[in-house]
Structures are given as structure tokens and as C-alpha cells.
Amino acid sequence: MTNDVHWLTRAVELATRSVPAGHGPFGAVVVRDGEVVAEGTNRVTTDTDPTAHAEVVALRQACARLGVFDLSGAVLYSSCEPCPMCLGAALWARVDRVVFAADRDDAARAGFDDRHFHEVLAGRQPSEVPMENLRIDAALAPFEAWHAYPGRTAY
């Protein structure tokens, strides 16, 4: 059994075991240097937090445990293809790879259809949430303060 299969099997087991606990059927594992750094399950309904997807939960825990915001060198294993939010979180965390088991079509058949979000972000579908850029005079003030601040941490 390859390491990828081993860790992916762990993510699927977490997802399966989370269901009776009232969580969504998703699990994720962050692995670095062959060791589990953190695990997460979907906690959206139990935590009443729309961002508490398994991948985000695992990434947050991994960063907190390591005391970093950059997870370079880590791999995110997910029981299902990450939604756009979770993929964005993985990109911001700078993980080396994302490995997943089920895909977005499998999720849709189970009642978790995020294909529309993928389509919106790909520019193939309009968003139901209107976005408007209202450029006020102070719009750039936070960035100017950031550039002027000598103690800033690049990320």
C-alpha cells in the first residue's frame, strides 16, 4: 500500500465515522514528513459554520499545531475533491499536493453539489451573489499602512 493510499484511506475512515456524530461525510488529513499533523471532519452543521469543511478544519489545526501559516512540505488528503473554498485554503496554506478520493460528481449524487461554485469561479456561470466595487477615497489606506509598517510578515 502506498503512502498516498494509506493516508487517503485514513481520510475516508474519518469521513465515514463522522456521520453518526452528526457531522458531514467528509474527512481530511494533513501529513508532513510522513507524520499526521492534523485531521479534520466536516463540522458545518454542528458548529453552525459554513467554512468548517473537513479540509479547512484540518488546515487550521495543522497551522495552529505547528505555529505557522505556511504548510509547505505538507500534503492534504481529502475523502472528496475539495470545493473551491477548500482548494483556496490549500493554496493559501501552500501545501505541496492535494490528494482526494471521491470527486465532485460523487458528492453531487450524495446531495452535496458544489459544481455550480466551480462553474461560477471558472467564469462559466453567473453568481447569485452580486458583487460591486465601490471605490471610496480611503480604499487603499490599509495597503499603504501595510507597506509602511516595518514589522510586516510577508505571505
Side-chain angles (χ1 to χ4, degrees), residues 52-152:
H53 290 199
E55 298 90 342
V56 172
V57 170
L59 291 168
R60 286 176 180 162
Q61 288 181 8
C63 289
R65 189 162 291 136
L66 296 174
V68 300
F69 56 82
D70 184 327
L71 293 173
S72 295
V75 178
L76 173 63
Y77 293 92
S78 180
S79 62
C80 188
E81 180 179 3
C83 73
M85 176 186 68
C86 293
L87 178 57
L91 291 169
W92 274 111
R94 310 289 198 262
V95 298
D96 286 4
R97 292 187 305 136
V98 175
V99 181
F100 61 90
D103 65 21
R104 66 184 77 169
D105 296 319
D106 299 316
R109 284 189 291 278
F112 297 91
D113 193 354
D114 64 359
R115 288 180 294 190
H116 178 68
F117 302 140
H118 289 279
E119 294 292 312
V120 167
L121 293 175
R124 294 187 290 261
Q125 291 287 323
S127 173
E128 297 84 27
V129 178
M131 291 183 53
E132 182 179 339
N133 182 204
L134 181 57
R135 196 72 173 202
I136 62 172
D137 290 340
L140 299 180
F143 298 123
E144 292 164 356
W146 173 254
H147 283 291
Y149 176 58
R152 68 182 179 270

Side-chain angles (χ1 to χ4, degrees), residues 11-33:
V12 170
E13 289 170 351
L14 285 169
T16 304
R17 285 197 326 226
S18 74
V19 173
H23 305 297
F26 300 95
V29 180
V30 176
V31 176
R32 191 182 210 181
D33 298 326

Side-chain angles (χ1 to χ4, degrees), residues 3-59:
N3 285 336
D4 284 347
V5 171
H6 173 77
W7 297 121
L8 201 52
T9 299
R10 176 67 183 150
V12 170
E13 289 170 351
L14 285 169
T16 304
R17 285 197 326 226
S18 74
V19 173
H23 305 297
F26 300 95
V29 180
V30 176
V31 176
R32 191 182 210 181
D33 298 326
E35 299 289 328
V36 171
V37 178
E39 298 177 333
T41 58
N42 182 290
R43 302 185 55 84
V44 170
T45 58
T46 53
D47 291 1
T48 59
D49 177 356
T51 68
H53 290 199
E55 298 90 342
V56 172
V57 170
L59 291 168

